[in-house]
Amino acid sequence: CDCGFEYTTSTSSSSTSISNHKATTMTTIVEQPPCDTGVCPPLSAPPAALVVEKQPQRVVVLPAKALENSSNEDNTDHTESSRSASMSSVLSQVLEPVLLKDPLLSNIPFLYKIMLREINCSFGTVTKANDKESLQTVVQQQASMHSTDVTVLFAIRYPACPSCREHGKQLAELASKDRKVSLIGAVKGGSTKFVQETLLEFHQEIFNGNHIYQDDKWQVGKAMGGRKLSIMNMIRNAMKAQKRWKKYKVMPQGLPKFNDSDKLGQGGVLIFDKYGALRFALQENFGVEVDMEMVAAAIKETRRLGRRRSIQSN
């Protein structure tokens, strides 16, 4: 196709028995794999199939026993095909909340080009690198430097927000257990003393020292749809989650200030393969824990897609 996909073919057969004769029609099907560029990501739609060839084979006379055995083989092929389709359907249902959808789906080329600046939180100070790199380059560098096959980017709406801190801690725990996962964060920068202190605390105590990058204009949030947190929903969900936040020890030292509209621009989780292609995304849900089983399933599927791309490229 225009994206440069490599197509694979599979062949299936259908049989019709007339008296002692059996006619078999061979059908060659072209299956379209997910786009490796990330523009047409996996599972956002059922795989396309196009019948490109139909060629009836010659009719031969077979004994009744052979016809019975052949019929059983056809049933076996049909069963295996049905089982494969069923598994794909189940996987789609499990991962439905993290499938790529518009507007993010349409904004993927824009997302890849967003410029990020690394933030150094070492030695108790926050310093910013002079150079910027594109988001996709950052993701690819992470995979290369740490020999990982999946990169998870956490778009941090506000490092002093207890909900963001809870989500960050969940993701950091996952990355500490799975050494083939690189975890990075993207946050809108700020110059106030409170923002600097809370970012430093977030990096060290919540994010386990994983790399954090500054997105000056919060372009990542805009690419994900520019969703804004409702004050009423924030208050209602905060009341429900307060006990859990205290138990999980994610309450910040200072009092969070939501007087800036940028602190209401929601973020989320982006999952990339080792080639830097976006595979899955999860929108932020304030006050609700991240479904880590679903994230783990998305990471597993991202690995599978990355391995398939490696095989195809070889």
Side-chain angles (χ1 to χ4, degrees), residues 189-206:
S191 58
T192 66
K193 182 180 180 181
F194 177 77
V195 170
Q196 298 289 323
E197 290 176 351
T198 53
L199 180 58
L200 184 63
E201 180 190 1
F202 181 94
H203 176 263
Q204 296 175 345
E205 299 182 13
I206 301 297

Side-chain angles (χ1 to χ4, degrees), residues 31-49:
E31 297 178 348
Q32 179 181 343
C35 175
D36 290 329
T37 63
V39 176
C40 306
L43 298 176
S44 58

Side-chain angles (χ1 to χ4, degrees), residues 162-167 169-170 236-251 285-291:
S163 183
C164 293
R165 293 162 68 88
E166 179 182 38
H167 297 166
K169 196 166 187 177
Q170 287 181 275
R236 181 171 56 251
N237 290 351
M239 293 177 65
K240 296 178 181 179
Q242 193 170 17
K243 290 183 179 179
R244 188 180 71 246
W245 289 342
K246 290 181 179 180
K247 181 180 179 180
Y248 211 44
K249 298 180 180 179
V250 294
M251 296 298 292
N285 192 358
F286 179 89
V288 179
E289 291 179 282
V290 174
D291 186 342

Side-chain angles (χ1 to χ4, degrees), residues 94-95 98 152 154 166-178 181 183 248 269 271 282 288-300:
V94 171
L95 296 177
V98 292
V152 176
F154 178 34
E166 179 182 38
H167 297 166
K169 196 166 187 177
Q170 287 181 275
L171 295 170
E173 289 176 354
L174 180 145
S176 66
K177 295 176 183 177
D178 189 340
V181 170
L183 175 63
Y248 211 44
V269 180
I271 301 176
L282 180 64
V288 179
E289 291 179 282
V290 174
D291 186 342
M292 297 310 296
E293 290 185 359
M294 183 171 57
V295 171
I299 288 174
K300 182 177 180 180

Side-chain angles (χ1 to χ4, degrees), residues 10-16 22-29 53 55 57 70-79 81:
S10 61
T11 303
S12 61
S13 63
S14 60
S15 304
T16 304
K22 182 182 180 184
T24 303
T25 300
M26 302 301 294
T27 302
T28 301
I29 296 176
E53 178 183 354
Q55 179 179 357
Q57 293 183 334
S70 178
S71 178
N72 291 336
E73 291 176 359
D74 292 340
N75 290 336
T76 300
D77 292 341
H78 178 72
T79 301
S81 177

